[in-house]
Amino acid sequence: MELIFEISKAGRRGYSLPRCDVPETELSEIYRRKASAILPEVSEPQIIRHYINLSVLNHHVDKNFYPLGSCTMKYNPKINEETSRLVGFAHIHPLQPENTVQGALKLMYELGEYLKSIVNLDAITLQPAAGAQGEFTAISMFRAYFNKKRESRTYILVPDSAHGTNPASVNFSGFKSITLPSNGEGLVDVEKLNKLMTSDVAGLMLTNPNTLGLFEKNIITITDIVHQRGGLVYLDGANLNALLGITRPGDMGFDAIHFNLHKTFSTPHGGGGPGSGPVAVKKLLEPFLPVPIISKSNDTFYFNDDISDSIGKVQTFYGNFLVMVRAYTFLRMIGDEGLSEISKSAILNANYIIQSLKDDYYLPYPGFCMHEGVLSGKHLKDLGLRTLDVAKRLLDFGLHAPTVYFPLVVSEALMIEPTDSESKETLDAFIETMKRIRREAEENPDLLKSAPHSTPVRRLDEVKAIKELKVRCKT
Ligand SMILES: *Cc1c(COP(=O)(O)O)cnc(C)c1O
């Protein structure tokens, strides 16, 4: 214990781990070490080099541009790491009495208030640990809402451009999904919605702007149609980075939305790390929220289990608290004005890239996009190449590839999302590289087909890797 304490003091800039003060006599003999631990003898420079070298083997947003569409891989301010490591946040226990964690509860409460006001909805849960779990939570609340009204509705409409988690959440929550086709502009086909939205249908799950980066200009008509037939409308909020401070989902008629704090609000993600997917709802869904929510009485914050028709808990304890601390820090730092600057910059950056590349790559839906845009590599087929080859070649230039082959409605899709935090220099370097790869496709297609050339591992056989999964630790 002494050793851990000393390392933590030196290595973590004064943030000490709580001391483990179990008197030796209380620790049963069987748990006590019989011999000293064999620890590797390495010097500080050796260990630093080891970890620095490991850290650059993989691509990450601190290394270079990461235009992975739909994922909003924005810069993570380092102050988020400072605040989320504060002892009063990092070293508390979920079972501590409320009066000893008032600061943490206040932070959760205020974060909830900020999020509600950003989308103009009435109530919120911070419990879900990701966007997908937020979807499941909200659609389960839809189910509870219709059960309470004794209405049996079986289906939920999901556009053909939707993220795969949408139909999955529909099934998981006990509904069946019906695919709603897009029209020629890549938007919801209102005629078809009119036909499909029957009394058997509980509602619609929509992403706005959608996964093509296009804003549903008929959104009010769409939500009106669903509401007129007694249904509810859910917003997959993964693309909120396009709307901040400009327009609010509550004003568009949405009844529920999930946030991806790890996308829009600058907390790290990728690699399956902790996320956070709060769900905000209109008043009519408030009685169904998961327990507990954070409430305030006078100046005291508390876990409120008094929710009449709660769907129950969806996550151990209260969600990923330290992700909330990071999102809260980001929001406090950005402020009201900064909020709309985020979306304006994200939209400008995306259009700059798409407009600069539309003569080199095929643009299936011409016109302006929101915070992300979708190109296609289908014209490269004549050269014996695919979008995947472009994506792999980009890695040779130290850039992460855009999302490829999604959304499914675009063949050979290249979905580019630069986010708000990139400079014009970075965007120009990416555009230049994409143009260079386009020239290489003509002049030396093999260079693309055999890419990547400079990464620690070359092109993987992904199908084989999935079919013959071998997970083992090499010793
Ligand atoms: C990322 C994403 C989701 C799922 O969110 P997770 O936090 O990864 O679970 C859902 N829909 C869209 C459009 C997304 O981009």
Side-chain angles (χ1 to χ4, degrees):
M1 230 42 232
E2 277 310 299
L3 179 71
I4 293 175
F5 183 59
E6 285 309 317
I7 289 175
S8 81
K9 225 165 130 186
R12 302 183 67 198
R13 297 160 79 222
Y15 302 125
S16 56
L17 287 170
R19 293 197 62 137
C20 181
D21 282 333
V22 184
E24 276 198 12
T25 45
E26 280 184 23
L27 194 62
S28 160
E29 187 59 36
I30 54 166
Y31 296 120
R32 280 211 238 140
R33 197 182 274 294
K34 304 288 178 296
S36 322
I38 304 167
L39 297 172
E41 299 266 339
V42 284
S43 66
E44 185 171 302
Q46 281 176 303
I47 199 86
I48 292 287
R49 283 175 193 161
H50 172 75
Y51 283 114
I52 292 287
N53 286 326
L54 275 186
S55 77
V56 293
L57 286 181
N58 225 334
H59 194 87
H60 48 84
V61 78
D62 286 343
K63 192 172 153 188
N64 207 346
F65 193 40
Y66 206 138
L68 193 66
S70 214
C71 293
T72 313
M73 304 299 290
K74 66 170 73 176
Y75 173 65
N76 305 133
K78 297 302 164 253
I79 190 176
N80 292 356
E81 300 311 308
E82 297 279 327
T83 52
S84 62
R85 279 167 175 72
L86 290 173
V87 174
F89 292 141
H91 294 159
I92 52 178
H93 192 280
L95 294 179
Q96 250 173 267
E98 278 164 6
N99 64 357
T100 66
V101 287
Q102 281 295 303
L105 292 184
K106 181 176 179 193
L107 182 142
M108 291 166 89
Y109 180 86
E110 287 186 356
L111 175 63
E113 294 301 302
Y114 294 153
L115 295 175
K116 273 158 50 182
S117 75
I118 286 171
V119 295
N120 194 22
L121 287 171
D122 305 313
I124 194 160
T125 171
L126 303 177
Q127 228 177 83
Q133 204 188 12
E135 293 170 22
F136 167 72
T137 303
I139 303 300
S140 300
M141 289 166 68
F142 282 17
R143 199 162 65 118
Y145 167 85
F146 287 112
N147 281 347
K148 175 96 179 172
K149 287 178 68 174
R150 305 208 172 281
E151 281 183 36
S152 76
R153 296 187 182 234
T154 315
Y155 302 99
I156 298 229
L157 304 177
V158 181
D160 53 7
S161 58
H163 195 266
T165 50
N166 290 191
S169 301
V170 167
N171 283 325
F172 242 65
S173 320
F175 290 104
K176 293 193 175 82
S177 72
I178 296 180
T179 304
L180 178 62
S182 308
N183 62 19
E185 289 178 278
L187 301 173
V188 164
D189 188 327
V190 176
E191 295 281 299
K192 296 223 169 81
L193 172 67
N194 235 326
K195 274 205 201 97
L196 291 171
M197 187 59 223
T198 63
S199 57
D200 258 355
V201 176
L204 167 68
M205 274 184 106
L206 204 62
T207 311
N208 194 24
N210 67 18
T211 61
L212 295 162
L214 305 174
F215 190 84
E216 292 288 352
K217 57 185 177 192
N218 298 317
I219 188 61
I220 300 290
T221 312
I222 292 168
T223 54
D224 277 353
I225 291 173
V226 178
H227 288 148
Q228 278 158 16
R229 318 277 162 82
L232 298 169
V233 200
Y234 180 76
L235 177 64
D236 174 333
N239 289 345
L240 195 62
N241 218 40
L243 308 178
L244 297 172
I246 299 176
T247 178
R248 300 177 302 180
D251 301 339
M252 300 177 209
F254 286 100
D255 300 293
I257 173 184
H258 80 246
F259 302 81
N260 304 67
L261 296 189
H262 47 286
K263 294 181 181 175
T264 318
F265 300 102
S266 91
T267 72
H269 72 298
S276 181
V279 169
V281 296
K282 275 208 183 125
K283 200 102 196 136
L284 85 174
L285 289 169
E286 191 173 9
F288 307 97
L289 283 170
V291 278
I293 56 168
I294 317 293
S295 296
K296 183 179 173 186
S297 162
N298 298 322
D299 275 334
T300 308
F301 300 90
Y302 64 101
F303 294 116
N304 182 356
D305 283 300
D306 186 19
I307 299 174
S308 56
D309 300 296
S310 171
I311 58 164
K313 280 181 84 65
V314 295
Q315 179 71 16
T316 32
F317 300 115
Y318 320 110
N320 281 324
F321 173 63
L322 294 178
V323 178
M324 299 170 204
V325 175
R326 291 176 169 94
Y328 179 88
T329 307
F330 180 69
L331 274 168
R332 291 296 301 260
M333 194 174 68
I334 288 291
D336 231 7
E337 276 174 36
L339 213 54
S340 63
E341 286 305 312
I342 290 179
S343 290
K344 287 178 195 161
S345 306
I347 293 168
L348 189 63
N349 285 354
N351 280 288
Y352 182 63
I353 289 182
I354 298 297
Q355 292 301 314
S356 304
L357 290 176
K358 68 177 185 204
D359 296 332
D360 298 272
Y361 296 85
Y362 177 67
L363 178 60
Y365 297 98
F368 290 108
C369 61
M370 298 289 285
H371 68 305
E372 66 190 355
V374 180
L375 295 168
S376 160
K378 71 176 188 182
H379 57 303
L380 299 176
K381 277 190 173 158
D382 298 342
L383 304 166
L385 294 170
R386 305 190 63 204
T387 283
L388 186 69
D389 303 312
V390 176
K392 294 294 182 193
R393 183 66 181 138
L394 269 170
L395 308 183
D396 283 335
F397 298 95
L399 298 164
H400 198 281
T403 293
V404 293
Y405 300 104
F406 177 76
L408 305 176
V409 287
V410 172
S411 73
E412 297 293 319
L414 266 163
M415 185 193 210
I416 304 169
E417 181 181 7
T419 84
D420 37 293
S421 47
E422 297 300 339
S423 67
K424 181 165 177 298
E425 288 74 16
T426 305
L427 304 184
D428 284 336
F430 173 73
I431 291 164
E432 208 33 63
T433 308
M434 286 292 283
K435 284 178 181 288
R436 174 180 169 166
I437 293 173
R438 178 67 186 92
R439 287 195 302 274
E440 287 177 351
E442 298 282 347
E443 293 158 10
N444 188 1
D446 280 345
L447 201 55
L448 273 68
K449 252 187 253 180
S450 53
H453 305 271
S454 63
T455 47
V457 285
R458 300 288 298 274
R459 198 178 295 207
L460 300 173
D461 184 341
E462 286 169 28
V463 177
K464 188 163 190 270
I466 291 167
K467 288 200 167 158
E468 294 172 30
L469 187 65
K470 285 187 193 135
V471 185
R472 92 191 151 89
C473 177
K474 228 174 166 180
T475 47

